[in-house]
Amino acid sequence: MITLKSSHEIQLMRQAGRITAAARALAGAMVAPGVSTREIDKAVYRFITSQGAVPSFLHYNGYPASVCISVNDEVIHGIPGHRVLREGDIVSVDVGAYKDGFHGDCAATYPCGEISEEARRLIEVTRQSFFEGLRYAREGYRLPDLSGAIQRYVESNGFSVVREYVGHGIGSKMHEAPEVPNYVEPRMGRPRFLRGMTIAVEPMVNAGGAAVKVMPDGWTVKTADGRLSAHYENTILITDGEPELLTDPDAKPE
């Protein structure tokens, strides 16, 4: 069931969203050759807990870290560890923070030093596809309007939308109704956007084919063809006007 948030709950979600967005910015600023993914994870943990919040992902269904860090052909759910970032990598950072009963959730893909032209375009198209969808995150539209806008933009730029993983409602639980696909299919629901809805929209875009595979660790998802992948996400509030980004893309850690 889709839950509409009260004004008080929305204020709590703004608070969680600010912390989450600042944690994403911190992680992104750390992406550089010679930095390990574990260093980024530790810094994000320290930051989130310093804000009186808890990392949403830590121990979620057994996940062992505070951040999902996915490099190059890793689509999502990469586990931080000893891997050292290298010049030319692209690095997806997905982070959540839980405070006073509510979650924020956001992601972005960052260049590590100088990257290829294809990698740069992939990051830009993935980010812009989110904003193409955002135009429809308002009263009067339905979910397939948003999903279709993302899919059309991605595919018109020669890239592929991942099908197995989708966005979601968010609030007191990390994953709530409705599912928010980045593509349209005949069987998908057609819920109408209503003020007070909070959703996490997160295009996952592959440079090659859409197919993915899960690694033996049970978490890390990679492209089946070994091509690059990028990810971009924000938590959105449906209002009676323009949608509000609860995870501000321009946030900076305090």
Side-chain angles (χ1 to χ4, degrees):
M1 183 177 69
I2 296 172
T3 61
L4 303 181
K5 310 308 190 288
S6 69
S7 58
H8 175 65
E9 290 170 330
I10 288 167
Q11 191 55 39
L12 294 176
M13 289 197 67
R14 287 190 179 108
Q15 178 180 251
R18 281 194 295 269
I19 295 168
T20 307
R24 172 178 58 185
L26 170 64
M30 291 183 68
V31 170
V35 176
S36 75
T37 55
R38 180 166 290 167
E39 289 176 75
I40 297 173
D41 182 68
K42 288 182 176 179
V44 168
Y45 174 84
R46 288 194 296 268
F47 174 75
I48 291 175
T49 55
S50 77
Q51 303 297 304
V54 176
S56 297
F57 300 166
L58 186 60
H59 308 311
Y60 183 79
N61 291 335
Y63 186 74
S66 299
V67 192
C68 297
I69 303 179
S70 307
V71 182
N72 295 334
D73 63 334
E74 295 173 350
V75 181
I76 50 172
H77 301 163
I79 301 173
H82 297 297
R83 181 173 189 163
V84 174
L85 300 178
R86 299 186 299 180
E87 184 90 12
D89 287 341
I90 64 171
V91 185
S92 166
V93 175
D94 190 357
V95 60
Y98 179 75
K99 182 173 173 62
D100 295 337
F102 288 89
H103 293 273
D105 188 10
C106 62
T109 303
Y110 298 93
C112 185
E114 293 296 318
I115 61 174
S116 70
E117 176 63 19
E118 178 188 57
R120 184 191 62 77
R121 275 197 67 242
L122 178 65
I123 291 173
E124 290 178 355
V125 167
T126 302
R127 186 181 190 278
Q128 185 58 34
S129 73
F130 167 87
F131 288 98
E132 296 295 320
L134 184 67
R135 298 177 185 180
Y136 299 92
R138 52 194 305 161
E139 288 193 311
Y141 291 102
R142 293 182 181 270
L143 178 59
D145 298 320
L146 182 153
S147 301
I150 292 172
Q151 180 181 9
R152 287 191 300 274
Y153 186 79
V154 168
E155 293 178 352
S156 70
N157 279 278
F159 298 132
S160 301
V161 173
V162 171
R163 299 297 203 274
E164 286 85 350
Y165 301 89
V166 298
H168 49 91
I170 184 170
S172 61
K173 296 179 181 177
M174 170 59 68
H175 293 99
E176 298 182 351
E179 289 192 341
V180 183
N182 302 300
Y183 58 92
V184 176
E185 64 171 17
R187 295 172 298 170
M188 71 185 292
R190 292 180 52 81
R192 187 183 299 277
F193 291 124
L194 300 171
R195 72 188 73 179
M197 285 178 63
T198 46
I199 57 175
V201 176
E202 50 177 323
M204 290 153 271
V205 178
N206 294 347
V212 299
K213 57 186 179 182
V214 180
M215 294 295 98
D217 63 18
W219 284 104
T220 307
V221 178
K222 289 190 176 187
T223 58
D225 58 13
R227 300 279 297 277
L228 296 176
S229 187
H231 184 199
Y232 188 79
E233 174 185 23
N234 282 301
T235 300
I236 299 168
L237 168 67
I238 308 298
T239 74
D240 57 0
E242 292 291 323
E244 179 181 342
L245 296 183
L246 299 179
T247 47
D248 179 2
D250 297 321
K252 297 291 185 289
E254 297 176 4

